PDB file of all heavy atoms in Angstrom:
ATOM      1  N   ARG G 432      -7.403 -29.753  47.717  1.00 98.00           N
ATOM      2  CA  ARG G 432      -7.537 -28.502  46.941  1.00 98.00           C
ATOM      3  C   ARG G 432      -6.199 -28.097  46.317  1.00 98.00           C
ATOM      4  O   ARG G 432      -6.161 -27.347  45.348  1.00 98.00           O
ATOM      5  CB  ARG G 432      -8.115 -27.388  47.815  1.00 98.00           C
ATOM      6  CG  ARG G 432      -9.600 -27.613  48.057  1.00 98.00           C
ATOM      7  CD  ARG G 432     -10.289 -26.475  48.794  1.00 98.00           C
ATOM      8  NE  ARG G 432     -11.727 -26.777  48.845  1.00 98.00           N
ATOM      9  CZ  ARG G 432     -12.519 -26.547  49.869  1.00 98.00           C
ATOM     10  NH1 ARG G 432     -12.046 -25.951  50.949  1.00 98.00           N
ATOM     11  NH2 ARG G 432     -13.786 -26.869  49.820  1.00 98.00           N
ATOM     12  N   ARG G 433      -5.096 -28.592  46.868  1.00 97.00           N
ATOM     13  CA  ARG G 433      -3.780 -28.302  46.267  1.00 97.00           C
ATOM     14  C   ARG G 433      -3.509 -29.212  45.075  1.00 97.00           C
ATOM     15  O   ARG G 433      -2.686 -28.912  44.226  1.00 97.00           O
ATOM     16  CB  ARG G 433      -2.675 -28.517  47.308  1.00 97.00           C
ATOM     17  CG  ARG G 433      -2.807 -27.585  48.503  1.00 97.00           C
ATOM     18  CD  ARG G 433      -1.830 -27.984  49.608  1.00 97.00           C
ATOM     19  NE  ARG G 433      -0.449 -27.937  49.159  1.00 97.00           N
ATOM     20  CZ  ARG G 433       0.565 -28.555  49.750  1.00 97.00           C
ATOM     21  NH1 ARG G 433       0.336 -29.292  50.814  1.00 97.00           N
ATOM     22  NH2 ARG G 433       1.778 -28.447  49.290  1.00 97.00           N
ATOM     23  N   ASN G 434      -4.205 -30.371  45.059  1.00 98.00           N
ATOM     24  CA  ASN G 434      -3.881 -31.374  44.041  1.00 98.00           C
ATOM     25  C   ASN G 434      -4.872 -31.455  42.886  1.00 98.00           C
ATOM     26  O   ASN G 434      -4.493 -31.871  41.789  1.00 98.00           O
ATOM     27  CB  ASN G 434      -3.829 -32.766  44.695  1.00 98.00           C
ATOM     28  CG  ASN G 434      -2.617 -32.942  45.596  1.00 98.00           C
ATOM     29  OD1 ASN G 434      -1.501 -32.591  45.205  1.00 98.00           O
ATOM     30  ND2 ASN G 434      -2.820 -33.474  46.795  1.00 98.00           N
ATOM     31  N   VAL G 435      -6.122 -31.123  43.161  1.00 97.00           N
ATOM     32  CA  VAL G 435      -7.183 -31.415  42.191  1.00 97.00           C
ATOM     33  C   VAL G 435      -7.581 -30.165  41.418  1.00 97.00           C
ATOM     34  O   VAL G 435      -7.951 -29.153  42.024  1.00 97.00           O
ATOM     35  CB  VAL G 435      -8.424 -31.995  42.910  1.00 97.00           C
ATOM     36  CG1 VAL G 435      -9.540 -32.283  41.907  1.00 97.00           C
ATOM     37  CG2 VAL G 435      -8.056 -33.256  43.677  1.00 97.00           C
ATOM     38  N   ALA G 436      -7.517 -30.273  40.096  1.00 91.00           N
ATOM     39  CA  ALA G 436      -8.036 -29.200  39.252  1.00 91.00           C
ATOM     40  C   ALA G 436      -9.522 -29.457  39.066  1.00 91.00           C
ATOM     41  O   ALA G 436      -9.946 -30.049  38.080  1.00 91.00           O
ATOM     42  CB  ALA G 436      -7.308 -29.202  37.909  1.00 91.00           C
ATOM     43  N   GLY G 437     -10.304 -29.069  40.040  1.00 88.00           N
ATOM     44  CA  GLY G 437     -11.749 -29.325  40.015  1.00 88.00           C
ATOM     45  C   GLY G 437     -12.313 -28.889  41.351  1.00 88.00           C
ATOM     46  O   GLY G 437     -11.604 -28.316  42.169  1.00 88.00           O
ATOM     47  N   GLN G 438     -13.587 -29.169  41.587  1.00 96.00           N
ATOM     48  CA  GLN G 438     -14.240 -28.757  42.831  1.00 96.00           C
ATOM     49  C   GLN G 438     -13.948 -29.769  43.926  1.00 96.00           C
ATOM     50  O   GLN G 438     -14.078 -30.972  43.714  1.00 96.00           O
ATOM     51  CB  GLN G 438     -15.753 -28.693  42.619  1.00 96.00           C
ATOM     52  CG  GLN G 438     -16.196 -27.587  41.672  1.00 96.00           C
ATOM     53  CD  GLN G 438     -15.926 -26.219  42.244  1.00 96.00           C
ATOM     54  OE1 GLN G 438     -16.084 -25.993  43.441  1.00 96.00           O
ATOM     55  NE2 GLN G 438     -15.501 -25.298  41.398  1.00 96.00           N
ATOM     56  N   VAL G 439     -13.565 -29.296  45.109  1.00 98.00           N
ATOM     57  CA  VAL G 439     -13.377 -30.177  46.269  1.00 98.00           C
ATOM     58  C   VAL G 439     -14.296 -29.685  47.372  1.00 98.00           C
ATOM     59  O   VAL G 439     -14.253 -28.514  47.754  1.00 98.00           O
ATOM     60  CB  VAL G 439     -11.912 -30.181  46.759  1.00 98.00           C
ATOM     61  CG1 VAL G 439     -11.765 -31.156  47.930  1.00 98.00           C
ATOM     62  CG2 VAL G 439     -10.956 -30.554  45.630  1.00 98.00           C
ATOM     63  N   TYR G 440     -15.154 -30.580  47.859  1.00 98.00           N
ATOM     64  CA  TYR G 440     -16.155 -30.215  48.863  1.00 98.00           C
ATOM     65  C   TYR G 440     -15.845 -30.914  50.180  1.00 98.00           C
ATOM     66  O   TYR G 440     -15.351 -32.041  50.182  1.00 98.00           O
ATOM     67  CB  TYR G 440     -17.557 -30.647  48.433  1.00 98.00           C
ATOM     68  CG  TYR G 440     -17.911 -30.304  47.008  1.00 98.00           C
ATOM     69  CD1 TYR G 440     -17.629 -31.200  45.973  1.00 98.00           C
ATOM     70  CD2 TYR G 440     -18.529 -29.094  46.693  1.00 98.00           C
ATOM     71  CE1 TYR G 440     -17.959 -30.897  44.662  1.00 98.00           C
ATOM     72  CE2 TYR G 440     -18.860 -28.791  45.372  1.00 98.00           C
ATOM     73  CZ  TYR G 440     -18.572 -29.699  44.362  1.00 98.00           C
ATOM     74  OH  TYR G 440     -18.894 -29.392  43.070  1.00 98.00           O
ATOM     75  N   GLU G 441     -16.223 -30.250  51.291  1.00 98.00           N
ATOM     76  CA  GLU G 441     -16.077 -30.879  52.609  1.00 98.00           C
ATOM     77  C   GLU G 441     -17.446 -31.356  53.084  1.00 98.00           C
ATOM     78  O   GLU G 441     -18.419 -30.600  53.067  1.00 98.00           O
ATOM     79  CB  GLU G 441     -15.520 -29.855  53.601  1.00 98.00           C
ATOM     80  CG  GLU G 441     -15.296 -30.444  54.986  1.00 98.00           C
ATOM     81  CD  GLU G 441     -14.761 -29.397  55.956  1.00 98.00           C
ATOM     82  OE1 GLU G 441     -13.974 -28.523  55.532  1.00 98.00           O
ATOM     83  OE2 GLU G 441     -15.149 -29.443  57.133  1.00 98.00           O
ATOM     84  N   GLY G 442     -17.530 -32.633  53.486  1.00 98.00           N
ATOM     85  CA  GLY G 442     -18.799 -33.139  54.015  1.00 98.00           C
ATOM     86  C   GLY G 442     -18.870 -34.644  53.950  1.00 98.00           C
ATOM     87  O   GLY G 442     -17.916 -35.327  53.578  1.00 98.00           O
ATOM     88  N   ASP G 443     -20.062 -35.145  54.295  1.00 98.00           N
ATOM     89  CA  ASP G 443     -20.299 -36.584  54.414  1.00 98.00           C
ATOM     90  C   ASP G 443     -20.764 -37.157  53.068  1.00 98.00           C
ATOM     91  O   ASP G 443     -21.883 -36.866  52.626  1.00 98.00           O
ATOM     92  CB  ASP G 443     -21.361 -36.796  55.498  1.00 98.00           C
ATOM     93  CG  ASP G 443     -21.662 -38.266  55.738  1.00 98.00           C
ATOM     94  OD1 ASP G 443     -20.881 -39.122  55.300  1.00 98.00           O
ATOM     95  OD2 ASP G 443     -22.702 -38.542  56.364  1.00 98.00           O
ATOM     96  N   LEU G 444     -19.917 -37.918  52.426  1.00 98.00           N
ATOM     97  CA  LEU G 444     -20.221 -38.594  51.153  1.00 98.00           C
ATOM     98  C   LEU G 444     -20.920 -37.656  50.153  1.00 98.00           C
ATOM     99  O   LEU G 444     -20.333 -36.677  49.751  1.00 98.00           O
ATOM    100  CB  LEU G 444     -21.023 -39.870  51.417  1.00 98.00           C
ATOM    101  CG  LEU G 444     -20.291 -40.903  52.312  1.00 98.00           C
ATOM    102  CD1 LEU G 444     -21.109 -42.190  52.442  1.00 98.00           C
ATOM    103  CD2 LEU G 444     -18.887 -41.222  51.811  1.00 98.00           C
ATOM    104  N   TYR G 445     -22.182 -37.960  49.780  1.00 98.00           N
ATOM    105  CA  TYR G 445     -22.861 -37.203  48.720  1.00 98.00           C
ATOM    106  C   TYR G 445     -23.396 -35.856  49.195  1.00 98.00           C
ATOM    107  O   TYR G 445     -23.737 -35.000  48.364  1.00 98.00           O
ATOM    108  CB  TYR G 445     -24.049 -38.017  48.184  1.00 98.00           C
ATOM    109  CG  TYR G 445     -23.674 -39.371  47.631  1.00 98.00           C
ATOM    110  CD1 TYR G 445     -23.807 -40.533  48.375  1.00 98.00           C
ATOM    111  CD2 TYR G 445     -23.173 -39.497  46.326  1.00 98.00           C
ATOM    112  CE1 TYR G 445     -23.476 -41.771  47.859  1.00 98.00           C
ATOM    113  CE2 TYR G 445     -22.833 -40.741  45.802  1.00 98.00           C
ATOM    114  CZ  TYR G 445     -22.986 -41.876  46.572  1.00 98.00           C
ATOM    115  OH  TYR G 445     -22.644 -43.102  46.060  1.00 98.00           O
ATOM    116  N   GLU G 446     -23.453 -35.687  50.533  1.00 98.00           N
ATOM    117  CA  GLU G 446     -24.173 -34.530  51.101  1.00 98.00           C
ATOM    118  C   GLU G 446     -23.720 -33.170  50.525  1.00 98.00           C
ATOM    119  O   GLU G 446     -24.566 -32.335  50.186  1.00 98.00           O
ATOM    120  CB  GLU G 446     -24.051 -34.587  52.639  1.00 98.00           C
ATOM    121  CG  GLU G 446     -24.611 -33.422  53.414  1.00 98.00           C
ATOM    122  CD  GLU G 446     -23.534 -32.390  53.710  1.00 98.00           C
ATOM    123  OE1 GLU G 446     -22.389 -32.768  54.018  1.00 98.00           O
ATOM    124  OE2 GLU G 446     -23.865 -31.209  53.589  1.00 98.00           O
ATOM    125  N   PRO G 447     -22.399 -32.921  50.333  1.00 98.00           N
ATOM    126  CA  PRO G 447     -22.030 -31.576  49.845  1.00 98.00           C
ATOM    127  C   PRO G 447     -22.068 -31.417  48.317  1.00 98.00           C
ATOM    128  O   PRO G 447     -21.821 -30.320  47.820  1.00 98.00           O
ATOM    129  CB  PRO G 447     -20.586 -31.433  50.340  1.00 98.00           C
ATOM    130  CG  PRO G 447     -20.058 -32.813  50.444  1.00 98.00           C
ATOM    131  CD  PRO G 447     -21.217 -33.722  50.718  1.00 98.00           C
ATOM    132  N   LEU G 448     -22.376 -32.495  47.574  1.00 98.00           N
ATOM    133  CA  LEU G 448     -22.364 -32.376  46.109  1.00 98.00           C
ATOM    134  C   LEU G 448     -23.518 -31.496  45.620  1.00 98.00           C
ATOM    135  O   LEU G 448     -24.621 -31.560  46.177  1.00 98.00           O
ATOM    136  CB  LEU G 448     -22.494 -33.759  45.458  1.00 98.00           C
ATOM    137  CG  LEU G 448     -21.289 -34.697  45.555  1.00 98.00           C
ATOM    138  CD1 LEU G 448     -21.652 -36.070  44.996  1.00 98.00           C
ATOM    139  CD2 LEU G 448     -20.087 -34.120  44.823  1.00 98.00           C
ATOM    140  N   PRO G 449     -23.308 -30.714  44.586  1.00 98.00           N
ATOM    141  CA  PRO G 449     -24.411 -29.893  44.059  1.00 98.00           C
ATOM    142  C   PRO G 449     -25.510 -30.775  43.464  1.00 98.00           C
ATOM    143  O   PRO G 449     -25.210 -31.778  42.805  1.00 98.00           O
ATOM    144  CB  PRO G 449     -23.748 -29.041  42.977  1.00 98.00           C
ATOM    145  CG  PRO G 449     -22.388 -29.589  42.756  1.00 98.00           C
ATOM    146  CD  PRO G 449     -22.030 -30.483  43.894  1.00 98.00           C
ATOM    147  N   ASP G 450     -26.757 -30.399  43.694  1.00 97.00           N
ATOM    148  CA  ASP G 450     -27.903 -31.166  43.188  1.00 97.00           C
ATOM    149  C   ASP G 450     -27.839 -31.367  41.679  1.00 97.00           C
ATOM    150  O   ASP G 450     -28.332 -32.372  41.164  1.00 97.00           O
ATOM    151  CB  ASP G 450     -29.208 -30.435  43.536  1.00 97.00           C
ATOM    152  CG  ASP G 450     -29.784 -30.979  44.833  1.00 97.00           C
ATOM    153  OD1 ASP G 450     -29.227 -31.956  45.373  1.00 97.00           O
ATOM    154  OD2 ASP G 450     -30.783 -30.397  45.310  1.00 97.00           O
ATOM    155  N   GLY G 451     -27.229 -30.420  41.011  1.00 96.00           N
ATOM    156  CA  GLY G 451     -27.145 -30.489  39.545  1.00 96.00           C
ATOM    157  C   GLY G 451     -26.376 -31.692  39.027  1.00 96.00           C
ATOM    158  O   GLY G 451     -26.439 -32.002  37.834  1.00 96.00           O
ATOM    159  N   LEU G 452     -25.645 -32.366  39.899  1.00 97.00           N
ATOM    160  CA  LEU G 452     -24.901 -33.565  39.459  1.00 97.00           C
ATOM    161  C   LEU G 452     -25.758 -34.826  39.494  1.00 97.00           C
ATOM    162  O   LEU G 452     -25.355 -35.870  38.989  1.00 97.00           O
ATOM    163  CB  LEU G 452     -23.669 -33.785  40.343  1.00 97.00           C
ATOM    164  CG  LEU G 452     -22.518 -32.799  40.201  1.00 97.00           C
ATOM    165  CD1 LEU G 452     -21.350 -33.231  41.084  1.00 97.00           C
ATOM    166  CD2 LEU G 452     -22.049 -32.692  38.755  1.00 97.00           C
TER     167      LEU G 452
END
Side-chain angles (χ1 to χ4, degrees):
R432 286 186 175 141
R433 298 171 60 199
N434 289 314
V435 179
Q438 293 294 322
V439 182
Y440 314 89
E441 182 181 325
D443 182 15
L444 300 184
Y445 302 98
E446 175 266 321
L448 289 174
D450 265 355
L452 290 184

